[in-house]
Amino acid sequence: MDLIPAPSSAVRRPDGDFPLDAATTLTAPPALADAERWLRTTLSAATGLPFGPGRPGAGIELVQDEALAAEAYRITVRPGRALLAAGGPAGALWGAQTLRQLLGPDAYRRSPLRREGWVLPGADIEDAPRFGWRGALLDVARHFLPKSDVLRFVDLLAAHKLNVLHLHLTDDQGWRVEIKRYPGLTERGAWRERSMVGYRSGGRRDDRPHGGYYTQDDLREIVGYAAARGVTVVPEIDLPGHTQAAICAYPELGNTDVVDTAALGVWTDWGVSHNVLNASEETLRFFEGVLEEVLELFPSEFVHLGGDECPKEQWKDSAAAQARIRELGLANEDELQSHLIRHFDRWLAERGRRLIGWDEILEGGLAPGAAVSSWRGFGGGIAAAKAGHDVVMCPEQHVYFDHRQADGPDEPIPVGFVRTLEDVYRFEPVPAQLDGTEARHVIGTQANLWSEFTDSARDIDYRAFPRLVAFAEVAWSALPAEPAERDFAGFERRLATHLKALDALGVEYRPADGPLPWQRWPGVAGRPIEGPPPVR
Ligand code: TNX
Protein backbone atom coordinates (compact mmCIF):
# COMPACT_ATOMS: atom_id res chain seq x y z
CA MET A 1 0.00 0.00 0.00
CA ASP A 2 3.13 2.16 0.16
CA LEU A 3 1.75 4.56 2.76
CA ILE A 4 3.82 7.62 3.72
CA PRO A 5 4.12 8.59 6.51
CA ALA A 6 4.10 4.99 7.71
CA PRO A 7 1.00 4.25 9.82
CA SER A 8 1.22 2.57 13.24
CA SER A 9 -0.07 -0.62 11.67
CA ALA A 10 -1.44 -1.60 8.27
CA VAL A 11 -2.63 -5.05 7.22
CA ARG A 12 -3.62 -5.70 3.64
CA ARG A 13 -6.83 -7.77 3.23
CA PRO A 14 -6.76 -8.94 -0.40
CA ASP A 15 -10.31 -10.28 -0.16
CA GLY A 16 -11.54 -6.92 1.13
CA ASP A 17 -11.09 -4.81 -2.02
CA PHE A 18 -13.83 -2.19 -2.47
CA PRO A 19 -14.37 -1.10 -6.10
CA LEU A 20 -15.79 2.42 -6.23
CA ASP A 21 -18.48 3.49 -8.69
CA ALA A 22 -21.06 6.21 -9.27
CA ALA A 23 -23.28 4.68 -6.59
CA THR A 24 -20.61 4.80 -3.85
CA THR A 25 -21.82 7.09 -1.08
CA LEU A 26 -19.99 9.17 1.52
CA THR A 27 -21.45 9.96 4.93
CA ALA A 28 -20.18 11.66 8.08
CA PRO A 29 -21.60 13.20 11.25
CA PRO A 30 -21.68 17.03 11.39
CA ALA A 31 -18.58 17.09 13.64
CA LEU A 32 -16.51 15.59 10.80
CA ALA A 33 -17.90 17.87 8.08
CA ASP A 34 -14.47 19.28 7.14
CA ALA A 35 -13.10 15.82 6.38
CA GLU A 36 -16.29 14.85 4.53
CA ARG A 37 -16.17 18.01 2.39
CA TRP A 38 -12.47 17.62 1.64
CA LEU A 39 -12.85 13.97 0.73
CA ARG A 40 -15.86 14.54 -1.52
CA THR A 41 -14.28 17.51 -3.29
CA THR A 42 -10.89 15.87 -3.73
CA LEU A 43 -12.01 12.39 -4.70
CA SER A 44 -14.79 13.65 -7.00
CA ALA A 45 -12.32 15.81 -8.89
CA ALA A 46 -9.79 12.99 -9.27
CA THR A 47 -12.17 10.12 -10.07
CA GLY A 48 -15.15 11.81 -11.69
CA LEU A 49 -17.41 9.89 -9.28
CA PRO A 50 -19.95 11.93 -7.27
CA PHE A 51 -19.70 10.35 -3.78
CA GLY A 52 -23.21 11.50 -2.98
CA PRO A 53 -24.60 11.45 0.53
CA GLY A 54 -25.79 8.05 1.74
CA ARG A 55 -26.90 6.18 4.80
CA PRO A 56 -24.75 5.17 7.73
CA GLY A 57 -23.62 1.57 7.41
CA ALA A 58 -22.80 1.73 3.69
CA GLY A 59 -20.22 3.12 1.29
CA ILE A 60 -17.47 5.32 2.69
CA GLU A 61 -18.45 6.27 6.20
CA LEU A 62 -16.72 8.57 8.67
CA VAL A 63 -17.54 8.12 12.35
CA GLN A 64 -16.24 9.55 15.57
CA ASP A 65 -14.82 7.13 18.13
CA GLU A 66 -14.32 8.72 21.53
CA ALA A 67 -11.88 5.97 22.50
CA LEU A 68 -9.33 7.31 19.98
CA ALA A 69 -7.07 10.33 20.53
CA ALA A 70 -8.08 13.48 18.64
CA GLU A 71 -5.57 12.97 15.81
CA ALA A 72 -5.85 9.16 15.70
CA TYR A 73 -7.89 7.18 13.18
CA ARG A 74 -8.69 3.63 12.11
CA ILE A 75 -9.60 2.50 8.61
CA THR A 76 -11.34 -0.75 7.69
CA VAL A 77 -11.88 -1.45 3.99
CA ARG A 78 -14.13 -4.33 2.98
CA PRO A 79 -16.17 -4.96 -0.20
CA GLY A 80 -18.82 -2.25 -0.45
CA ARG A 81 -17.70 -0.54 2.72
CA ALA A 82 -14.90 1.66 4.02
CA LEU A 83 -15.15 2.76 7.63
CA LEU A 84 -12.99 5.62 8.86
CA ALA A 85 -13.22 6.01 12.63
CA ALA A 86 -11.50 9.05 14.07
CA GLY A 87 -10.94 10.48 17.53
CA GLY A 88 -11.90 13.95 16.30
CA PRO A 89 -11.98 16.26 13.28
CA ALA A 90 -8.18 16.20 12.86
CA GLY A 91 -8.00 12.40 12.95
CA ALA A 92 -10.75 12.28 10.32
CA LEU A 93 -8.75 14.61 8.06
CA TRP A 94 -5.60 12.48 8.40
CA GLY A 95 -7.63 9.34 7.72
CA ALA A 96 -9.15 11.03 4.67
CA GLN A 97 -5.62 11.72 3.39
CA THR A 98 -4.83 8.03 3.84
CA LEU A 99 -7.95 7.03 1.88
CA ARG A 100 -6.74 9.17 -1.02
CA GLN A 101 -3.28 7.62 -0.80
CA LEU A 102 -4.82 4.13 -0.89
CA LEU A 103 -6.38 4.96 -4.28
CA GLY A 104 -2.94 5.54 -5.82
CA PRO A 105 -1.12 8.44 -7.49
CA ASP A 106 -3.89 9.27 -9.99
CA ALA A 107 -6.12 10.18 -7.05
CA TYR A 108 -3.89 13.27 -6.61
CA ARG A 109 -4.98 14.74 -9.95
CA ARG A 110 -7.64 17.41 -10.27
CA SER A 111 -9.56 15.88 -13.12
CA PRO A 112 -10.11 12.20 -13.88
CA LEU A 113 -7.82 10.34 -16.27
CA ARG A 114 -10.40 7.53 -16.09
CA ARG A 115 -13.79 6.97 -14.50
CA GLU A 116 -13.45 3.25 -13.96
CA GLY A 117 -11.19 0.90 -12.09
CA TRP A 118 -10.98 2.90 -8.82
CA VAL A 119 -10.46 0.43 -6.00
CA LEU A 120 -9.88 0.99 -2.31
CA PRO A 121 -7.63 -1.93 -1.37
CA GLY A 122 -8.97 -4.14 1.42
CA ALA A 123 -7.09 -3.17 4.58
CA ASP A 124 -7.05 -2.66 8.34
CA ILE A 125 -5.12 0.43 9.33
CA GLU A 126 -4.52 1.98 12.73
CA ASP A 127 -2.68 5.21 13.03
CA ALA A 128 -1.80 8.12 15.32
CA PRO A 129 0.97 10.73 15.28
CA ARG A 130 4.12 10.60 17.38
CA PHE A 131 4.27 14.40 17.84
CA GLY A 132 1.54 17.02 18.16
CA TRP A 133 3.59 19.76 16.42
CA ARG A 134 4.64 18.65 12.94
CA GLY A 135 5.66 21.87 11.34
CA ALA A 136 7.19 23.67 8.41
CA LEU A 137 8.28 27.29 8.31
CA LEU A 138 7.74 29.41 5.22
CA ASP A 139 9.84 32.57 5.17
CA VAL A 140 7.57 34.90 3.24
CA ALA A 141 9.54 37.92 4.49
CA ARG A 142 12.81 37.51 2.57
CA HIS A 143 10.91 36.62 -0.58
CA PHE A 144 7.19 37.17 -0.69
CA LEU A 145 5.21 34.10 -1.68
CA PRO A 146 1.91 34.84 -3.45
CA LYS A 147 -1.20 33.75 -1.59
CA SER A 148 -2.06 31.07 -4.12
CA ASP A 149 1.32 29.42 -3.51
CA VAL A 150 0.79 29.54 0.25
CA LEU A 151 -2.58 27.79 -0.16
CA ARG A 152 -0.94 25.18 -2.37
CA PHE A 153 1.77 24.65 0.25
CA VAL A 154 -0.93 24.11 2.88
CA ASP A 155 -2.36 21.34 0.68
CA LEU A 156 1.11 19.79 0.47
CA LEU A 157 1.58 19.94 4.24
CA ALA A 158 -1.80 18.30 4.84
CA ALA A 159 -1.04 15.61 2.25
CA HIS A 160 1.90 14.64 4.46
CA LYS A 161 -0.05 14.90 7.75
CA LEU A 162 2.01 17.93 8.80
CA ASN A 163 -0.15 20.19 10.95
CA VAL A 164 1.67 23.48 11.63
CA LEU A 165 2.49 26.20 9.11
CA HIS A 166 4.85 28.66 10.79
CA LEU A 167 4.59 31.84 8.73
CA HIS A 168 7.63 34.10 9.16
CA LEU A 169 5.79 37.32 8.31
CA THR A 170 8.23 40.08 9.19
CA ASP A 171 11.94 40.69 8.89
CA ASP A 172 14.54 43.29 7.93
CA GLN A 173 13.79 42.65 4.26
CA GLY A 174 10.01 43.00 4.34
CA TRP A 175 6.80 43.29 6.38
CA ARG A 176 4.07 41.04 4.95
CA VAL A 177 1.00 41.41 7.16
CA GLU A 178 -1.49 44.27 6.81
CA ILE A 179 -1.94 46.10 10.12
CA LYS A 180 -4.85 48.53 9.89
CA ARG A 181 -3.68 50.93 12.57
CA TYR A 182 -0.16 51.17 11.13
CA PRO A 183 -0.62 51.24 7.33
CA GLY A 184 3.00 52.31 6.82
CA LEU A 185 4.17 48.83 7.76
CA THR A 186 2.99 47.55 4.39
CA GLU A 187 2.83 50.80 2.40
CA ARG A 188 6.54 51.27 2.98
CA GLY A 189 7.78 48.16 4.78
CA ALA A 190 6.59 45.60 2.20
CA TRP A 191 8.78 46.81 -0.65
CA ARG A 192 12.50 46.92 -1.30
CA GLU A 193 14.47 48.33 -4.17
CA ARG A 194 16.55 45.29 -5.01
CA SER A 195 17.84 42.03 -3.58
CA MET A 196 21.12 40.29 -3.12
CA VAL A 197 21.45 37.28 -5.39
CA GLY A 198 23.23 34.60 -3.43
CA TYR A 199 25.62 35.26 -0.64
CA ARG A 200 27.27 38.64 0.03
CA SER A 201 30.70 37.45 -1.11
CA GLY A 202 29.43 36.94 -4.67
CA GLY A 203 28.64 40.65 -4.96
CA ARG A 204 25.53 40.08 -7.09
CA ARG A 205 22.34 42.16 -6.97
CA ASP A 206 19.30 41.86 -9.15
CA ASP A 207 18.33 45.58 -9.32
CA ARG A 208 14.70 44.53 -9.47
CA PRO A 209 12.21 45.81 -6.90
CA HIS A 210 10.66 43.11 -4.75
CA GLY A 211 7.71 43.02 -2.40
CA GLY A 212 4.18 42.08 -1.51
CA TYR A 213 1.99 41.50 1.52
CA TYR A 214 -1.14 39.68 2.61
CA THR A 215 -4.25 41.69 3.39
CA GLN A 216 -6.08 40.75 6.55
CA ASP A 217 -8.73 39.05 4.42
CA ASP A 218 -5.99 37.05 2.62
CA LEU A 219 -4.74 35.85 5.99
CA ARG A 220 -8.25 34.99 7.22
CA GLU A 221 -8.64 32.96 4.03
CA ILE A 222 -5.29 31.18 4.51
CA VAL A 223 -6.02 30.45 8.18
CA GLY A 224 -9.50 29.09 7.39
CA TYR A 225 -8.29 27.05 4.44
CA ALA A 226 -5.54 25.55 6.57
CA ALA A 227 -7.88 24.84 9.51
CA ALA A 228 -10.27 22.96 7.21
CA ARG A 229 -7.30 20.71 6.36
CA GLY A 230 -6.04 20.19 9.93
CA VAL A 231 -3.24 22.74 9.66
CA THR A 232 -2.73 25.50 12.26
CA VAL A 233 -1.04 28.67 11.05
CA VAL A 234 1.37 30.08 13.65
CA PRO A 235 2.29 33.68 12.81
CA GLU A 236 5.74 35.07 13.55
CA ILE A 237 6.28 38.74 14.26
CA ASP A 238 10.03 38.85 14.83
CA LEU A 239 11.31 41.25 17.50
CA PRO A 240 13.36 43.06 18.78
CA GLY A 241 15.86 42.23 15.99
CA HIS A 242 14.98 41.50 12.35
CA THR A 243 12.85 44.65 12.40
CA GLN A 244 14.43 47.05 9.89
CA ALA A 245 11.37 46.98 7.61
CA ALA A 246 9.18 48.16 10.52
CA ILE A 247 11.76 50.75 11.61
CA CYS A 248 12.03 52.27 8.15
CA ALA A 249 8.22 52.68 8.10
CA TYR A 250 8.08 54.08 11.66
CA PRO A 251 11.55 55.54 12.42
CA GLU A 252 10.61 56.25 16.05
CA LEU A 253 10.77 52.48 16.69
CA GLY A 254 14.55 52.44 16.23
CA ASN A 255 17.48 53.67 18.27
CA THR A 256 17.18 57.25 17.07
CA ASP A 257 19.95 58.53 19.32
CA VAL A 258 22.55 56.38 17.54
CA VAL A 259 21.28 56.09 13.95
CA ASP A 260 19.29 58.29 11.62
CA THR A 261 16.45 55.78 11.35
CA ALA A 262 14.47 58.16 9.11
CA ALA A 263 17.08 57.54 6.41
CA LEU A 264 16.64 53.75 6.47
CA GLY A 265 14.98 51.75 3.76
CA VAL A 266 13.80 48.15 3.74
CA TRP A 267 17.04 46.18 3.87
CA THR A 268 18.40 44.99 0.52
CA ASP A 269 21.07 42.70 2.02
CA TRP A 270 20.81 39.23 3.56
CA GLY A 271 22.25 38.63 7.01
CA VAL A 272 21.55 40.23 10.36
CA SER A 273 20.82 43.96 10.38
CA HIS A 274 22.09 46.05 13.29
CA ASN A 275 19.01 48.21 13.18
CA VAL A 276 16.88 46.87 16.01
CA LEU A 277 13.95 48.18 18.05
CA ASN A 278 14.45 50.54 20.95
CA ALA A 279 13.02 49.33 24.25
CA SER A 280 10.80 52.29 25.08
CA GLU A 281 7.27 52.02 26.48
CA GLU A 282 6.01 53.57 23.21
CA THR A 283 7.57 50.75 21.21
CA LEU A 284 5.97 48.16 23.48
CA ARG A 285 2.60 49.86 22.93
CA PHE A 286 3.18 49.91 19.16
CA PHE A 287 3.78 46.16 19.04
CA GLU A 288 0.87 45.47 21.37
CA GLY A 289 -1.22 47.27 18.76
CA VAL A 290 0.26 45.09 16.02
CA LEU A 291 -0.32 41.94 18.05
CA GLU A 292 -3.93 42.84 18.86
CA GLU A 293 -4.65 42.66 15.13
CA VAL A 294 -2.49 39.55 14.70
CA LEU A 295 -4.44 37.73 17.45
CA GLU A 296 -7.69 38.55 15.68
CA LEU A 297 -6.39 36.97 12.48
CA PHE A 298 -4.66 33.91 13.93
CA PRO A 299 -6.55 31.82 16.51
CA SER A 300 -3.50 29.59 17.17
CA GLU A 301 -2.56 28.91 20.79
CA PHE A 302 1.06 29.81 20.01
CA VAL A 303 2.27 33.14 18.66
CA HIS A 304 5.91 33.28 17.56
CA LEU A 305 7.77 36.45 18.51
CA GLY A 306 11.17 35.57 17.07
CA GLY A 307 13.73 36.93 19.51
CA ASP A 308 16.62 35.60 17.42
CA GLU A 309 19.80 37.27 16.29
CA CYS A 310 19.34 40.65 17.96
CA PRO A 311 22.69 42.45 17.80
CA LYS A 312 23.16 44.52 20.93
CA GLU A 313 25.58 47.17 19.56
CA GLN A 314 22.96 49.89 19.20
CA TRP A 315 21.68 49.30 22.73
CA LYS A 316 25.26 49.51 24.00
CA ASP A 317 25.74 52.87 22.23
CA SER A 318 22.30 54.30 22.97
CA ALA A 319 21.99 56.57 26.00
CA ALA A 320 18.23 55.93 25.95
CA ALA A 321 18.69 52.13 26.02
CA GLN A 322 21.25 52.42 28.82
CA ALA A 323 18.91 54.66 30.81
CA ARG A 324 16.16 52.11 30.29
CA ILE A 325 18.42 49.31 31.55
CA ARG A 326 19.13 51.31 34.72
CA GLU A 327 15.51 52.33 35.19
CA LEU A 328 14.38 48.70 34.98
CA GLY A 329 17.18 47.55 37.29
CA LEU A 330 18.62 45.22 34.64
CA ALA A 331 22.22 44.00 34.48
CA ASN A 332 22.89 44.32 30.76
CA GLU A 333 21.57 44.28 27.18
CA ASP A 334 20.73 40.56 27.28
CA GLU A 335 18.41 41.25 30.17
CA LEU A 336 16.83 44.08 28.22
CA GLN A 337 15.99 41.64 25.44
CA SER A 338 14.67 39.22 28.02
CA HIS A 339 12.58 42.03 29.55
CA LEU A 340 10.92 42.65 26.18
CA ILE A 341 10.16 38.97 25.65
CA ARG A 342 8.85 38.61 29.21
CA HIS A 343 6.58 41.58 28.64
CA PHE A 344 4.98 39.93 25.63
CA ASP A 345 4.94 36.51 27.32
CA ARG A 346 2.73 38.03 30.00
CA TRP A 347 0.73 40.05 27.51
CA LEU A 348 -0.03 36.95 25.42
CA ALA A 349 -0.81 34.82 28.49
CA GLU A 350 -3.36 37.42 29.62
CA ARG A 351 -5.08 36.86 26.28
CA GLY A 352 -5.05 33.08 26.55
CA ARG A 353 -2.13 32.58 24.15
CA ARG A 354 1.41 31.27 24.51
CA LEU A 355 4.66 32.78 23.33
CA ILE A 356 7.14 30.76 21.33
CA GLY A 357 10.51 32.15 20.28
CA TRP A 358 13.90 31.11 18.88
CA ASP A 359 16.39 29.73 21.40
CA GLU A 360 18.08 33.13 21.93
CA ILE A 361 15.13 33.93 24.22
CA LEU A 362 16.92 31.75 26.78
CA GLU A 363 19.63 34.40 27.08
CA GLY A 364 19.02 36.68 30.03
CA GLY A 365 16.40 34.32 31.45
CA LEU A 366 13.46 32.53 29.81
CA ALA A 367 10.00 34.03 30.26
CA PRO A 368 7.85 31.79 32.47
CA GLY A 369 5.33 30.54 29.90
CA ALA A 370 7.53 30.62 26.81
CA ALA A 371 8.18 27.70 24.48
CA VAL A 372 11.36 27.47 22.43
CA SER A 373 12.11 26.74 18.78
CA SER A 374 15.54 25.15 19.11
CA TRP A 375 17.42 26.16 15.94
CA ARG A 376 21.13 26.54 16.82
CA GLY A 377 21.37 22.82 17.43
CA PHE A 378 19.77 20.83 20.25
CA GLY A 379 21.39 22.73 23.14
CA GLY A 380 18.74 25.42 23.59
CA GLY A 381 15.99 22.84 23.38
CA ILE A 382 17.67 20.59 25.93
CA ALA A 383 18.12 23.48 28.39
CA ALA A 384 14.53 24.61 27.91
CA ALA A 385 13.06 21.09 28.28
CA LYS A 386 15.11 20.47 31.42
CA ALA A 387 13.72 23.72 32.83
CA GLY A 388 10.19 22.48 32.08
CA HIS A 389 9.51 24.50 28.93
CA ASP A 390 7.99 23.10 25.76
CA VAL A 391 10.28 22.78 22.78
CA VAL A 392 9.97 22.44 19.02
CA MET A 393 13.15 20.86 17.67
CA CYS A 394 14.30 22.43 14.41
CA PRO A 395 18.14 22.36 14.55
CA GLU A 396 19.73 24.09 11.57
CA GLN A 397 22.28 21.28 11.29
CA HIS A 398 19.49 18.87 10.37
CA VAL A 399 16.25 20.41 9.15
CA TYR A 400 17.07 23.73 7.51
CA PHE A 401 15.77 22.99 4.05
CA ASP A 402 17.31 26.14 2.60
CA HIS A 403 20.53 24.13 2.97
CA ARG A 404 21.39 21.91 0.01
CA GLN A 405 20.43 18.25 -0.24
CA ALA A 406 23.53 17.05 -2.05
CA ASP A 407 27.08 18.09 -2.63
CA GLY A 408 27.94 18.84 -6.20
CA PRO A 409 28.76 21.76 -8.44
CA ASP A 410 25.23 21.94 -9.91
CA GLU A 411 23.38 22.00 -6.61
CA PRO A 412 21.76 25.44 -6.34
CA ILE A 413 23.23 28.02 -3.96
CA PRO A 414 25.34 26.10 -1.47
CA VAL A 415 24.57 27.48 1.98
CA GLY A 416 24.96 25.69 5.29
CA PHE A 417 25.24 21.95 5.63
CA VAL A 418 24.64 19.19 3.11
CA ARG A 419 21.59 17.31 4.36
CA THR A 420 20.51 14.47 2.14
CA LEU A 421 17.16 12.74 2.02
CA GLU A 422 18.64 9.93 4.09
CA ASP A 423 20.08 12.36 6.65
CA VAL A 424 16.62 13.86 7.13
CA TYR A 425 15.05 10.41 7.34
CA ARG A 426 17.47 9.53 10.14
CA PHE A 427 16.97 12.81 12.02
CA GLU A 428 15.84 12.15 15.60
CA PRO A 429 14.14 15.14 17.27
CA VAL A 430 14.41 13.89 20.86
CA PRO A 431 18.02 14.04 22.10
CA ALA A 432 19.36 11.26 24.31
CA GLN A 433 20.22 13.82 27.04
CA LEU A 434 16.54 14.11 28.00
CA ASP A 435 14.89 11.68 30.39
CA GLY A 436 11.30 10.54 29.91
CA THR A 437 9.63 13.47 31.67
CA GLU A 438 11.88 16.03 30.00
CA ALA A 439 11.41 14.41 26.60
CA ARG A 440 7.66 14.99 26.87
CA HIS A 441 8.43 18.70 26.62
CA VAL A 442 9.59 18.11 23.04
CA ILE A 443 6.14 18.79 21.62
CA GLY A 444 7.33 18.35 18.09
CA THR A 445 9.64 19.19 15.28
CA GLN A 446 9.76 21.53 12.35
CA ALA A 447 11.57 21.94 9.03
CA ASN A 448 12.44 25.52 8.11
CA LEU A 449 12.43 26.94 4.59
CA TRP A 450 14.29 30.26 4.83
CA SER A 451 13.98 32.10 1.57
CA GLU A 452 17.06 34.25 1.04
CA PHE A 453 18.03 31.88 -1.76
CA THR A 454 14.62 30.82 -3.05
CA ASP A 455 12.37 33.31 -4.80
CA SER A 456 9.48 31.22 -6.10
CA ALA A 457 7.27 28.24 -5.33
CA ARG A 458 9.36 26.27 -7.85
CA ASP A 459 12.51 26.89 -5.79
CA ILE A 460 10.67 25.98 -2.61
CA ASP A 461 9.44 22.73 -4.18
CA TYR A 462 13.03 21.86 -5.05
CA ARG A 463 14.39 22.55 -1.55
CA ALA A 464 11.43 21.02 0.29
CA PHE A 465 10.88 17.84 -1.68
CA PRO A 466 11.39 14.99 -1.34
CA ARG A 467 13.01 15.83 2.03
CA LEU A 468 9.72 17.03 3.52
CA VAL A 469 8.31 13.55 2.83
CA ALA A 470 11.08 11.98 4.93
CA PHE A 471 10.59 14.68 7.56
CA ALA A 472 6.84 13.94 7.71
CA GLU A 473 7.63 10.34 8.57
CA VAL A 474 10.05 11.47 11.31
CA ALA A 475 7.36 13.74 12.78
CA TRP A 476 4.40 11.36 12.42
CA SER A 477 5.52 7.76 12.58
CA ALA A 478 6.42 5.85 15.72
CA LEU A 479 10.10 5.61 16.53
CA PRO A 480 11.59 2.17 15.98
CA ALA A 481 13.16 0.59 19.08
CA GLU A 482 16.56 1.90 17.94
CA PRO A 483 16.89 5.03 15.79
CA ALA A 484 19.48 3.11 13.75
CA GLU A 485 16.70 0.72 12.76
CA ARG A 486 14.98 3.34 10.66
CA ASP A 487 14.47 1.44 7.44
CA PHE A 488 15.63 3.90 4.79
CA ALA A 489 15.58 1.28 2.02
CA GLY A 490 11.95 0.54 2.84
CA PHE A 491 11.17 4.27 2.83
CA GLU A 492 12.81 4.66 -0.58
CA ARG A 493 10.65 1.85 -1.98
CA ARG A 494 7.49 3.54 -0.72
CA LEU A 495 8.81 6.89 -1.93
CA ALA A 496 8.97 5.59 -5.51
CA THR A 497 5.15 5.36 -5.46
CA HIS A 498 4.78 8.62 -3.58
CA LEU A 499 6.87 10.54 -6.12
CA LYS A 500 4.20 9.65 -8.69
CA ALA A 501 1.66 11.29 -6.40
CA LEU A 502 3.92 14.38 -6.20
CA ASP A 503 4.15 14.33 -10.02
CA ALA A 504 0.36 14.22 -10.17
CA LEU A 505 0.21 17.20 -7.79
CA GLY A 506 2.74 19.10 -9.91
CA VAL A 507 5.47 19.26 -7.27
CA GLU A 508 8.92 19.99 -8.72
CA TYR A 509 10.96 17.93 -6.27
CA ARG A 510 14.69 17.40 -6.61
CA PRO A 511 15.31 14.47 -8.96
CA ALA A 512 17.44 11.78 -7.30
CA ASP A 513 20.23 12.35 -9.83
CA GLY A 514 20.42 16.08 -9.34
CA PRO A 515 18.91 19.34 -10.51
CA LEU A 516 17.41 19.82 -13.95
CA PRO A 517 19.06 22.64 -15.90
CA TRP A 518 16.49 25.26 -14.85
CA GLN A 519 16.78 24.22 -11.21
CA ARG A 520 20.41 25.37 -11.10
CA TRP A 521 21.63 28.84 -10.22
CA PRO A 522 24.96 28.82 -12.03
CA GLY A 523 27.64 31.07 -10.62
CA VAL A 524 25.61 32.28 -7.64
CA ALA A 525 27.76 32.28 -4.52
CA GLY A 526 26.70 30.60 -1.31
CA ARG A 527 28.45 29.98 1.98
CA PRO A 528 28.85 26.24 2.26
CA ILE A 529 29.83 24.70 5.56
CA GLU A 530 32.08 21.77 4.72
CA GLY A 531 31.92 18.42 6.42
CA PRO A 532 29.23 16.80 8.51
CA PRO A 533 27.28 18.89 11.00
CA PRO A 534 28.77 19.06 14.48
CA VAL A 535 27.63 16.31 16.83
CA ARG A 536 24.94 17.53 19.17
C1 TNX B 1 19.22 31.90 10.62
S1 TNX B 1 16.78 30.54 12.16
C2 TNX B 1 18.08 32.65 10.84
C3 TNX B 1 17.29 33.11 9.69
C4 TNX B 1 17.99 32.85 8.39
C5 TNX B 1 18.57 31.45 8.41
C6 TNX B 1 19.21 31.02 7.11
C7 TNX B 1 16.85 31.93 12.72
C8 TNX B 1 16.13 32.09 13.96
N1 TNX B 1 17.55 32.89 12.08
O1 TNX B 1 16.99 34.47 9.85
O2 TNX B 1 17.09 33.01 7.36
O3 TNX B 1 19.52 31.35 9.44
O4 TNX B 1 19.53 29.66 7.13
Side-chain angles (χ1 to χ4, degrees), residues 243-391:
T243 41
Q244 184 166 324
I247 295 169
C248 95
Y250 293 92
E252 65 273 21
L253 297 173
N255 294 287
T256 49
D257 58 348
V258 287
V259 274
D260 178 9
T261 53
L264 291 175
V266 175
W267 211 27
T268 56
D269 286 9
W270 310 133
V272 180
S273 166
H274 283 251
N275 293 303
V276 304
L277 299 181
N278 64 44
S280 67
E281 282 299 322
E282 292 73 20
T283 295
L284 293 183
R285 293 294 91 71
F286 183 100
F287 275 88
E288 286 170 3
V290 168
L291 289 172
E292 273 171 23
E293 296 190 24
V294 166
L295 295 195
E296 271 174 32
L297 298 172
F298 298 91
S300 60
E301 178 188 10
F302 283 100
V303 175
H304 207 294
L305 292 189
D308 57 314
E309 299 178 322
C310 178
K312 307 289 182 330
E313 282 75 10
Q314 291 188 353
W315 289 353
K316 289 200 171 100
D317 294 343
S318 157
Q322 292 302 318
R324 191 84 174 118
I325 287 174
R326 280 192 304 277
E327 176 194 330
L328 294 165
L330 304 174
N332 53 34
E333 294 76 24
D334 277 350
E335 287 195 7
L336 188 57
Q337 149 126 359
S338 164
H339 162 80
L340 287 171
I341 299 293
R342 277 168 195 269
H343 173 83
F344 286 110
D345 182 61
R346 233 177 299 119
W347 189 90
L348 285 171
E350 283 160 15
R351 286 155 185 81
R353 308 294 186 101
R354 292 177 68 189
L355 183 148
I356 183 164
W358 303 108
D359 54 61
E360 285 94 331
I361 67 170
L362 284 151
E363 291 157 16
L366 196 53
V372 168
S373 303
S374 189
W375 78 275
R376 295 176 301 178
F378 291 91
I382 292 171
K386 284 190 182 290
H389 292 262
D390 286 342
V391 173

Side-chain angles (χ1 to χ4, degrees), residues 14-27:
D15 53 354
D17 286 3
F18 175 9
L20 308 179
D21 59 31
T24 304
T25 57
L26 171 63
T27 51

Side-chain angles (χ1 to χ4, degrees), residues 141-218:
R142 270 54 174 272
H143 281 106
F144 179 66
L145 193 66
K147 184 192 74 180
S148 55
D149 291 328
V150 176
L151 296 172
R152 171 181 176 274
F153 195 74
V154 166
D155 280 326
L156 293 174
L157 291 181
H160 295 88
K161 301 190 173 77
L162 295 168
N163 69 344
V164 175
L165 172 61
H166 174 168
L167 265 192
H168 183 75
L169 286 165
T170 68
D171 214 303
D172 298 313
Q173 297 86 358
W175 184 283
R176 310 282 175 226
V177 43
E178 177 190 28
I179 300 296
K180 302 261 194 217
R181 76 188 83 175
Y182 304 123
L185 288 170
T186 45
E187 275 166 17
R188 187 157 157 66
W191 315 95
R192 64 174 181 258
E193 283 173 12
R194 64 180 65 81
S195 308
M196 266 187 178
V197 180
Y199 208 73
R200 182 182 311 273
S201 58
R204 274 172 67 163
R205 310 239 164 210
D206 64 2
D207 289 319
R208 183 183 182 204
H210 179 83
Y213 68 92
Y214 310 106
T215 65
Q216 296 203 343
D217 281 348
D218 290 340

Side-chain angles (χ1 to χ4, degrees), residues 139 142 171 242 308-309 358 375 400 402-403 450 452:
D139 173 11
R142 270 54 174 272
D171 214 303
H242 289 284
D308 57 314
E309 299 178 322
W358 303 108
W375 78 275
Y400 267 36
D402 48 328
H403 298 179
W450 298 102
E452 289 94 332

